[in-house]
């Protein structure tokens, strides 16, 4: 009986030890690969781990910490086989008021996803972009000596993201960041003007009678033969709307083939947070439906459009840039019933 009892006790101990080991292993898996036991808020409460997890396309535990520039470094990672890591940095940066319509390449355009509303922003297809803090926020963060306004810059350092969820996360973080720095964001009633990311359209052939969807804006009839006019739009006309114009350039296999991208970028700006920059750039102003409105144009890439030389452009009857701006603003004024 003594030996039998001893064997039973050993078996019971082994079973108990095995169960304990499983519990410990399960607990370790939960602790290191999920947020069940993790903090609810990250980066001094600027964002929630739940919202951060929804925006990251990784698998594992979500963590966050304040970095050297007072930004928020968010990471999702786990040790299970097949898991993917994701890392995003949200960092306040000082910029010039005109930066959304700055030189060379706009930070807002028809090729980007636009975040409307009181804290506007723009994001590329990979989730990189920015959200504006309220105008009352003093310069802060990286590059403070460079400008008078602050944006929350978003950089996807690794992995994939849900672009719409990341935009909401960044907008919420910008709102909290502003509150922490005594430049309170707008009242909730104003914020409801729009928080959903507006995705850029696909690049499509332009309607000869309504370029960029504006009736009466005609250019395609003068487009170079063999290079049909194309467009890509984003945003909304009652907030901030953008249209990028380009020429279809089929590959021929020749060494001179290259992707020139948009030769003109156009915009209708009514978002109050973006009006100062548009005004400082000297864009054409109007009052449309009782709202302050600017018609923004970017001609800096026009010279790089194909055909590439003045002789080629003349032979192809390529339209003058003045036609683009004049016809665009005339059609836009009519569409918006401007004074």
């Amino acid at each position: 009986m003594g030996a039998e009892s001893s064997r039973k006790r050993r078996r019971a101990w082994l079973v108990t030890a095995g169960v304990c080991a499983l519990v410990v292993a399960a607990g370790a898996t939960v602790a290191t690969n999920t947020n069940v036991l993790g903090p609810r808020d990250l980066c001094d409460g600027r964002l929630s781990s739940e919202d951060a997890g929804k925006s990251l396309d990784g698998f594992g535990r979500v963590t966050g910490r304040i970095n050297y520039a007072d930004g928020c470094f968010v990471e999702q990672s786990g040790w299970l086989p097949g898991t993917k890591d994701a890392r995003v940095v949200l960092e306040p940066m000082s910029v010039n008021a005109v930066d959304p319509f700055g030189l060379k390449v706009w930070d807002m355009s028809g090729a980007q996803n636009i975040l409307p509303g009181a804290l506007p922003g723009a994001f590329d297809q990979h989730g990189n972009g920015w959200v504006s803090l309220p105008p009352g926020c003093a310069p802060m963060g990286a590059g403070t000596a460079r400008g008078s306004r602050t944006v929350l810059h978003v950089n996807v350092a690794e992995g994939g993201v849900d672009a719409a969820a990341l935009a909401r996360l960044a907008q919420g973080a910008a709102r909290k960041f502003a509150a922490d720095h005594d430049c309170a964001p707008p009242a909730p009633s104003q914020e409801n003007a729009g928080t959903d990311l507006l995705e850029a359209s696909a690049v499509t052939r332009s309607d000869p009678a309504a370029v960029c969807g504006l009736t009466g804006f005609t250019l395609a009839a003068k487009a170079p033969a063999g290079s049909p006019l194309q467009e890509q739009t984003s945003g909304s006309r009652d907030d901030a709307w953008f249209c990028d114009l380009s020429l279809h350039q089929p590959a021929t296999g020749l060494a001179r083939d290259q992707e020139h991208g948009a030769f003109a970028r156009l915009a209708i700006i009514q978002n109050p947070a973006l009006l100062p920059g548009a005004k400082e750039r000297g864009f054409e102003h109007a009052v449309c439906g009782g709202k302050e409105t600017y018609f923004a144009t970017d001609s800096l890439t026009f010279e790089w459009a194909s055909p590439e030389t003045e002789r080629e452009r003349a032979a192809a009857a390529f339209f003058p840039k003045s036609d683009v701006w004049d016809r665009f603003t005339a059609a836009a004024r009519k569409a918006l019933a401007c004074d």
Side-chain angles (χ1 to χ4, degrees), residues 164-240:
L166 181 59
R168 287 193 294 270
L169 181 77
Q171 195 174 56
R175 190 175 297 116
K176 184 64 169 61
F177 194 95
D180 289 346
H181 287 76
D182 299 321
C183 50
S189 59
Q190 294 174 283
E191 292 174 357
N192 290 335
T195 55
D196 290 332
L197 193 66
L198 304 178
E199 293 187 5
S201 72
V203 178
T204 60
R205 296 284 180 90
S206 297
D207 181 343
V211 178
C212 296
L214 293 171
T215 301
F217 182 18
T218 60
L219 284 175
K222 287 192 174 184
S227 299
L229 195 64
Q230 299 180 141
E231 63 190 51
Q232 186 174 22
T233 60
S234 190
S236 63
R237 293 182 189 176
D238 60 353
D239 185 275

Side-chain angles (χ1 to χ4, degrees), residues 11-316:
R11 283 198 297 268
W13 182 87
L14 290 172
V15 170
T16 301
V19 170
C20 290
L22 289 174
V23 170
V24 171
T29 299
V30 169
T32 58
N33 291 279
T34 74
N35 292 321
V36 173
L37 303 177
R40 296 182 60 184
D41 296 319
L42 305 174
C43 297
D44 290 345
R46 291 178 187 168
L47 45 87
S48 75
S49 59
E50 180 181 1
D51 291 342
K54 291 178 181 178
S55 68
L56 301 176
D57 192 25
F59 180 85
R61 185 180 181 83
V62 177
T63 57
R65 67 177 186 273
I66 301 295
N67 69 7
Y68 70 95
D70 201 25
C72 182
F73 182 93
V74 183
E75 181 178 20
Q76 185 176 43
S77 62
W79 55 265
L80 290 176
T83 58
K84 297 182 296 181
D85 291 351
R87 295 181 181 87
V88 173
V89 181
L90 299 92
E91 185 174 17
M93 298 187 70
S94 176
V95 298
N96 293 315
V98 300
D99 274 12
F101 318 107
L103 300 177
K104 295 184 179 179
V105 178
W106 284 13
D107 289 325
M108 304 186 84
S109 74
Q112 290 182 297
N113 302 320
I114 303 300
L115 189 64
L119 301 180
F123 294 83
D124 66 19
Q125 60 180 335
H126 304 294
N128 302 295
W130 57 274
V131 175
S132 175
L133 270 71
C137 292
M140 62 185 76
T144 300
R146 295 208 320 266
S148 59
R149 290 286 299 276
T150 300
V151 300
L152 190 65
H153 183 262
V154 181
N155 176 48
V156 180
E158 182 178 355
V161 299
D162 181 313
L166 181 59
R168 287 193 294 270
L169 181 77
Q171 195 174 56
R175 190 175 297 116
K176 184 64 169 61
F177 194 95
D180 289 346
H181 287 76
D182 299 321
C183 50
S189 59
Q190 294 174 283
E191 292 174 357
N192 290 335
T195 55
D196 290 332
L197 193 66
L198 304 178
E199 293 187 5
S201 72
V203 178
T204 60
R205 296 284 180 90
S206 297
D207 181 343
V211 178
C212 296
L214 293 171
T215 301
F217 182 18
T218 60
L219 284 175
K222 287 192 174 184
S227 299
L229 195 64
Q230 299 180 141
E231 63 190 51
Q232 186 174 22
T233 60
S234 190
S236 63
R237 293 182 189 176
D238 60 353
D239 185 275
W241 173 90
F242 304 87
C243 180
D244 289 5
L245 294 177
S246 60
L247 296 173
H248 176 62
Q249 298 171 317
T252 63
L254 299 178
R256 67 192 296 268
D257 283 348
Q258 57 182 306
E259 179 56 54
H260 292 287
F263 66 80
R265 293 182 173 91
L266 314 173
I268 298 173
I269 306 300
Q270 291 189 335
N271 187 307
L274 300 174
L275 292 179
K279 180 179 180 180
E280 190 169 336
R281 278 293 301 273
F283 293 131
E284 185 169 337
H285 172 262
V287 177
C288 307
K291 300 177 68 173
E292 296 294 317
T293 305
Y294 282 90
F295 303 108
T297 55
D298 177 9
S299 64
L300 295 174
T301 57
F302 197 93
E303 288 77 10
W304 300 107
S306 180
E308 296 179 358
T309 69
E310 289 292 344
R311 179 177 295 180
E312 286 177 319
R313 282 196 289 274

